[in-house]
Amino acid sequence: MKALKISEAVVRRLPVYLRHLLELKQREVLTVSSQDLGQKLNLNPAQIRKDLAYFGDFGRKGIGYDVSYLIQQIRHILKLDQVIPVGLVGAGKLGHALCNYTVYLKDNMKIVAVFDAQESKINTEINNLKVQPMSDLIPTVREKQIRIGIITVPATEAQHVADQFVEAGVEAILNFAPVILRVPPNIRVHTADFTTDLFSLAYYLSDNGKEVPAE
Amino acid sequence: MKALKISEAVVRRLPVYLRHLLELKQREVLTVSSQDLGQKLNLNPAQIRKDLAYFGDFGRKGIGYDVSYLIQQIRHILKLDQVIPVGLVGAGKLGHALCNYTVYLKDNMKIVAVFDAQESKINTEINNLKVQPMSDLIPTVREKQIRIGIITVPATEAQHVADQFVEAGVEAILNFAPVILRVPPNIRVHTADFTTDLFSLAYYLSDNGKEVPAE
DNA sequence: TAGATTGTTAATCGATTAACAATC
DNA sequence: TAGATTGTTAATCGATTAACAATC
């Protein structure tokens, strides 16, 4: 239990641990070693032990980690032992898809409001939520105490939406638009940009694909 | 032009550079310095110069980088100077959303086939493509020379789909399911798992949120 | 020429991994 | 007790940044 600064790499692995632990729990596995976890998650066991040890002594020498206890601890570390209200802007296909995931996120995060700029989308229903106009954003974020904003609008709109989220007082933003957002330093932004993933994949393709016909 | 191994971190920045360069080009900016780029992308200029220098001497001292030329070079490095055929499994909301992005990816990647296991989805149209049954996957991947597979199915199905993609001969997989896939070492997998992004964001929320009422 | 900016080397910083005493 | 596995220190590895000669 030190007061070290935890690197982002560590923080990003915690949800991966959590997810696998939940699966183990469902399979009624009671205990797991860093060895086992590493095997499943393609990670070095020492790294897993070190990651967890930043936050406490969760394991037992000679035994491993109690699955339920570790779940509880990671939930606490990630602040997922409370339900976090989330807002989403952009009621397109992607926004829709994310709303459906709410089921999966259940006890951890809940999308409590959806906004869109397009007239035609407003008042349509997504997952029991009425899509609201952009003018509702700031008051609704405040009223519903929304802490995380999700942006699934076109790249050209994303900065504007981010500005409004910031003004309304969200603490963090998950941005799906392929754009680097400018926000104050106290706001955390993660970018979930699948074009980056996809384009970087191309780099690893073999060279001898169907070449451009030799000119 | 060395034969060094390029780290994944470098490769992942290339699409980010490319994207911003395309925007500059559209704004008819002719030349850009590592300084400018760094500012816009929140990166250290030295890092940008180093990244690019792995692949060649693209800049001019005292001037910077020619926007069009650098675009062309990065495209080549990423193998995006050819159209790469992509297949997608999972015609849900997320799959739909990705298909629509094809417009954005235009000259680089093209989703040429969509598959789904659900009877009701088959033969529906997405972006001018008829959704095909899973039994078509292997023959179609081969026939259309699909090189990258995208997986947007539930976590429980993802490994099975990956296995089929691998058997059919794709070289890389972009996986949206929250699961670690097992594939042979010659297949590249990127995981675009937004639950990880979202959960790790929660870590950075302030502690003084609406606490669980003190027991 | 003077100012700007690259490509690259050297210095720094940080993250991963190996190793092992402690102990269940 | 013997075997297993943690938590942690030390060693390694790799990535980022600073600095600067070269040069447009």
Side-chain angles (χ1 to χ4, degrees):
Chain A
M1 208 85 58
K2 299 101 182 208
L4 295 178
K5 216 155 294 150
I6 306 296
S7 84
E8 182 170 339
V10 174
V11 175
R12 284 187 164 271
R13 281 191 293 268
L14 294 178
V16 179
Y17 301 153
L18 178 58
R19 195 170 64 206
H20 187 63
L21 288 164
L22 288 168
E23 199 194 311
L24 289 177
K25 180 162 191 183
Q26 203 165 35
R27 288 200 264 123
E28 301 185 20
V29 177
L30 296 179
T31 267
V32 68
S33 67
S34 60
Q35 184 79 223
D36 296 343
L37 275 172
Q39 196 116 47
K40 276 292 183 189
L41 305 176
N42 296 333
L43 294 171
N44 183 300
Q47 183 171 63
I48 295 174
R49 293 201 297 280
K50 200 159 198 263
D51 284 353
L52 296 173
Y54 282 119
F55 302 98
D57 289 5
F58 301 143
R60 281 209 294 162
K61 294 189 171 78
I63 310 281
Y65 299 89
D66 180 279
V67 171
S68 292
Y69 179 68
L70 192 52
I71 286 173
Q72 191 189 316
Q73 291 302 317
I74 296 182
R75 270 224 163 100
H76 181 69
I77 295 163
L78 289 175
K79 305 202 177 75
L80 295 176
D81 48 1
Q82 54 188 310
V83 177
I84 297 175
V86 176
L88 183 146
V89 179
K93 296 262 167 52
L94 181 56
H96 246 85
L98 298 184
C99 285
N100 287 348
Y101 262 83
T102 305
V103 179
Y104 171 75
L105 306 176
K106 218 171 23 197
D107 306 321
N108 310 301
M109 301 212 171
K110 193 169 182 195
I111 295 177
V112 297
V114 178
F115 309 90
D116 201 294
Q118 238 176 283
E119 198 56 58
S120 64
K121 297 262 177 64
I122 290 163
N123 280 324
T124 60
E125 279 218 352
I126 296 186
N127 245 33
N128 300 323
L129 287 172
K130 272 215 171 74
V131 177
Q132 300 176 254
M134 289 303 288
S135 54
D136 279 10
L137 192 146
I138 291 176
T140 304
V141 165
R142 287 178 179 156
E143 185 190 312
K144 298 204 171 177
Q145 316 215 28
I146 288 171
R147 303 182 71 190
I148 298 182
I150 301 182
I151 299 180
T152 58
V153 299
T156 47
E157 312 296 324
Q159 181 63 57
H160 178 63
V161 172
D163 293 343
Q164 290 195 263
F165 266 140
V166 169
E167 193 186 334
V170 303
E171 298 172 58
I173 290 175
L174 180 56
N175 172 40
F176 284 86
V179 112
I180 309 285
L181 298 177
R182 301 264 136 210
V183 298
N186 58 319
I187 309 288
R188 188 94 196 173
V189 175
H190 284 183
T191 298
D193 175 13
F194 85 93
T195 61
T196 300
D197 289 307
L198 200 49
F199 282 15
S200 60
L201 264 187
Y203 176 81
Y204 297 99
L205 296 177
S206 65
D207 279 312
N208 48 33
K210 304 80 230 163
E211 292 294 270
V212 184
E215 75 65 79
Chain B
M1 206 83 62
K2 299 104 181 199
L4 294 177
K5 217 156 293 153
I6 307 296
S7 85
E8 182 168 340
V10 174
V11 174
R12 283 187 166 270
R13 281 191 293 268
L14 294 178
V16 179
Y17 301 153
L18 177 58
R19 195 170 63 205
H20 187 62
L21 288 164
L22 288 168
E23 198 193 311
L24 290 178
K25 178 162 192 184
Q26 203 165 34
R27 288 201 264 124
E28 300 185 20
V29 178
L30 297 178
T31 266
V32 69
S33 69
S34 60
Q35 183 80 222
D36 296 343
L37 276 172
Q39 196 116 47
K40 277 292 182 188
L41 305 176
N42 296 332
L43 295 171
N44 182 300
Q47 183 171 61
I48 296 175
R49 294 201 296 280
K50 200 159 197 263
D51 284 355
L52 297 173
Y54 281 120
F55 302 99
D57 290 5
F58 301 143
R60 281 209 294 163
K61 295 189 168 79
I63 310 282
Y65 299 89
D66 180 279
V67 171
S68 292
Y69 179 68
L70 192 52
I71 287 173
Q72 191 189 316
Q73 291 301 317
I74 296 182
R75 270 226 163 99
H76 181 70
I77 295 163
L78 290 175
K79 306 206 177 72
L80 294 176
D81 48 0
Q82 54 188 311
V83 177
I84 296 175
V86 176
L88 183 147
V89 179
K93 296 263 168 50
L94 182 55
H96 247 85
L98 298 184
C99 285
N100 287 348
Y101 262 82
T102 306
V103 179
Y104 171 75
L105 306 176
K106 220 173 19 206
D107 307 321
N108 310 302
M109 301 212 170
K110 194 170 181 195
I111 294 176
V112 296
V114 178
F115 308 91
D116 202 293
Q118 238 175 284
E119 197 58 58
S120 63
K121 296 263 177 64
I122 291 164
N123 281 323
T124 60
E125 279 217 353
I126 297 184
N127 245 34
N128 299 322
L129 286 172
K130 271 215 172 76
V131 176
Q132 301 175 255
M134 290 303 287
S135 54
D136 279 9
L137 191 146
I138 292 177
T140 304
V141 166
R142 288 178 179 157
E143 186 189 313
K144 299 205 172 175
Q145 315 217 24
I146 288 171
R147 303 182 71 189
I148 298 182
I150 301 181
I151 299 180
T152 58
V153 299
T156 47
E157 312 296 324
Q159 181 63 58
H160 178 62
V161 173
D163 292 343
Q164 289 196 264
F165 266 140
V166 168
E167 192 185 334
V170 303
E171 297 171 58
I173 290 174
L174 181 56
N175 172 39
F176 284 85
V179 113
I180 309 284
L181 298 178
R182 302 264 135 210
V183 296
N186 57 319
I187 308 289
R188 189 94 196 173
V189 175
H190 284 183
T191 299
D193 175 12
F194 86 93
T195 60
T196 300
D197 289 306
L198 200 49
F199 282 14
S200 60
L201 263 187
Y203 176 81
Y204 298 99
L205 296 177
S206 66
D207 279 313
N208 47 34
K210 303 82 231 159
E211 291 294 89
V212 183
E215 79 60 83

